[in-house]
Amino acid sequence: MRMFERTTFVALMMGATAAIAPASAFEGTPVNPENTAIPVASSQPGTAPVLKKAIPTEAATTSLTALQYAAEGGHPIAQWRLGRMYADGNGVVQDDLRAFDYFSKIANAHAEDSPSAPQAAIVANAFVALGRYYLDGIPNSKIKRDTERAREMFSYAASYFGNADAQYDLARLYIDGIGMPRDFRYGARWLGLAAQKGQHQAQAMLGQLLFNGEKLPRQAARGLMWLTLARDSAAPDEAWIKDSYNRAFAKASDDDRAMALQMLEHWVQGRRD
């Protein structure tokens, strides 16, 4: 396994609160933490079960074989696709340990790739997937729950690659106090970064915090704006987002609603520009 050694994160990896940004950071002010690469644990040799599920068509079999061949050759896109297939049980027997192994190969081989490299998004997503596995562990395997390791994975993808999903997941750790003391302002800062990139779950959570004034200065109109954006992007099974929007809209004053609409128009126009 490839191991990387650089300097440790400033503030992020140490959980320092001295670098917490002011309220303006909730708007999505960029951060530039010190870059670092981290070693990624992979499943032990021989632990991944052999592929057993029969693929119904010859074309599907050929496609899977081609993916496996490319993955063995170190192709990150093939490794990512196979990782997702095993994680989701899409066309193969669902196998989290095997998925973990594919994601680990990507992270170990490409952690130091440039954030502007063509495969950067895949590498960042691999770190996010690994972080989520570490957050819960994989039952009946050597991959145990490790919240510190999860935080490292999210921190790296969030800061080095600027991945919005990682920024959201990292924010949840701070806000929920998972593996660390709760820090609403630092969590809100990461939510702001992710929300500006269109991560709708981050938009919803940031909107809740700002509208309700939960541990943050209350900004009802801005909170309603973020909740509106989140509602428009929410998946059918994300009822919590729509419920949050409905509650906020019902409580908002006419002035808050008018100002939120104006903010929304400016935000959408900025995205178009």
Side-chain angles (χ1 to χ4, degrees):
M1 182 193 310
R2 183 181 179 189
M3 307 292 284
F4 302 104
E5 295 184 359
R6 283 197 200 160
T7 55
T8 56
F9 285 115
V10 174
L12 290 180
M13 301 302 287
M14 297 179 65
T17 58
I20 295 174
S24 61
F26 304 156
E27 306 279 336
T29 304
V31 293
N32 294 294
E34 189 172 341
N35 293 340
T36 181
I38 54 180
V40 181
S42 62
S43 54
Q44 297 298 316
T47 58
V50 177
L51 178 65
K52 296 179 180 179
K53 183 169 182 177
I55 307 300
T57 66
E58 181 178 349
T61 302
T62 302
S63 177
L64 179 61
T65 301
L67 275 177
Q68 291 171 325
Y69 182 81
E72 288 303 315
H75 199 294
I77 295 179
Q79 291 170 338
W80 169 254
R81 290 185 62 187
L82 283 170
R84 290 286 6 134
M85 287 172 66
Y86 281 107
D88 300 334
N90 181 16
V92 295
V93 174
Q94 197 272 342
D95 188 334
D96 286 320
L97 195 59
R98 196 154 187 168
F100 181 94
D101 189 58
Y102 278 119
F103 296 141
S104 295
K105 288 178 180 178
I106 297 171
N108 281 313
H110 299 279
E112 293 179 311
D113 288 3
S114 168
S116 61
Q119 69 277 6
I122 288 175
V123 180
N125 287 334
F127 273 97
V128 173
L130 290 170
R132 291 174 179 174
Y133 275 127
Y134 278 119
L135 201 56
D136 298 320
I138 300 177
N140 304 316
S141 79
K142 293 186 178 181
I143 309 304
K144 305 302 181 183
R145 186 173 188 267
D146 188 338
T147 56
E148 175 61 23
R149 198 69 171 139
R151 185 175 71 88
E152 290 175 355
M153 297 292 153
F154 295 147
S155 293
Y156 191 71
S159 58
Y160 183 67
F161 289 104
N163 181 273
D165 288 333
Q167 290 168 346
Y168 169 70
D169 286 340
L170 185 60
R172 287 294 304 268
L173 296 186
Y174 282 106
I175 291 172
D176 294 338
I178 299 176
M180 66 188 77
R182 282 187 171 186
D183 192 329
F184 285 89
R185 291 183 64 84
Y186 207 40
R189 186 169 186 244
W190 283 113
L191 285 179
L193 291 170
Q196 287 286 352
K197 295 173 182 175
Q199 215 286 354
H200 69 278
Q201 295 163 318
Q203 291 172 341
M205 182 167 285
L206 180 60
Q208 284 181 326
L209 292 175
L210 291 175
F211 186 87
N212 297 325
E214 298 177 21
K215 306 294 185 179
L216 300 173
R218 189 169 189 265
Q219 300 181 50
R222 188 166 299 281
L224 184 59
M225 179 203 75
W226 286 124
L227 284 167
T228 303
L229 287 168
R231 179 207 59 181
D232 292 344
S233 300
D237 62 347
E238 292 179 308
W240 69 275
I241 293 179
K242 297 175 183 178
D243 291 343
S244 295
Y245 166 80
N246 290 333
R247 285 193 298 269
F249 187 83
K251 293 179 181 178
S253 67
D254 290 340
D255 287 343
D256 289 336
R257 293 174 185 174
M259 187 175 296
L261 179 59
Q262 186 178 32
M263 290 178 176
L264 183 62
E265 291 174 348
H266 289 166
W267 193 87
V268 171
Q269 185 60 47
R271 297 279 285 187
R272 290 173 179 167
D273 293 342

